[in-house]
Amino acid sequence: RERERERETSIADYACNAPSSSSPHCTAALKMASSPMQVIEPVAVITSPDLTITEYFGRVANNDLCLSACVAEVTAPCEEAFQTPAFDEYALILEGVVEIIMDDKVHRVEAGKGILLQRGTRVKWRWPGPCKYVPICLPAFSPDNCGREEETGDNIAKDEQAL
């Protein structure tokens, strides 16, 4: 039992820098310690006219507070409100282009590329056309930790109610 507890602690520490296996933050990682595999059903977390986000791992899909991993699909030109997330965000751009606006500069990221946005960085996501990408947030995304600013307009991908 002691060896199993050490393994759980190691997984939790690796997964989200939790101080111990008693931390409530890495529930999925701790469950994996006792099961070699889990199959998670994805959950549609955002469904708006131009943007859908399906969560495979995270707060909604499997109650994991440590990490969220989704597939996001944009069908028409749109953008997000500015945000300053309290999480690191990795994104794999599978199709199309995303433009990241940061410090009044536009950074164009095309399909086949990846980006890392460090927590505390103020950014605006903009899609000039259809795009498919995989956002991965550490710790897991939530409406409370995304740091979304109030912004309105016809081109905003989702509003506060969509979150």
Side-chain angles (χ1 to χ4, degrees), residues 79-90:
E79 60 188 41
E80 279 283 23
F82 270 100
Q83 58 188 5
T84 307
F87 49 77
D88 293 325
E89 185 165 11
Y90 299 77

Side-chain angles (χ1 to χ4, degrees), residues 3 5 23 37-38 40 53 61-62 64 68 72 74 88 102 104-105 114-115 121 123 146-147 157 161:
R3 178 176 253 165
R5 202 164 96 218
S23 172
M37 184 180 90
Q38 287 184 323
I40 309 298
I53 299 178
N62 69 330
D64 190 341
S68 59
V74 176
D88 293 325
M102 183 174 66
D104 295 323
K105 293 180 185 160
I115 56 176
T121 303
V123 298
C146 71
Q161 276 111 13

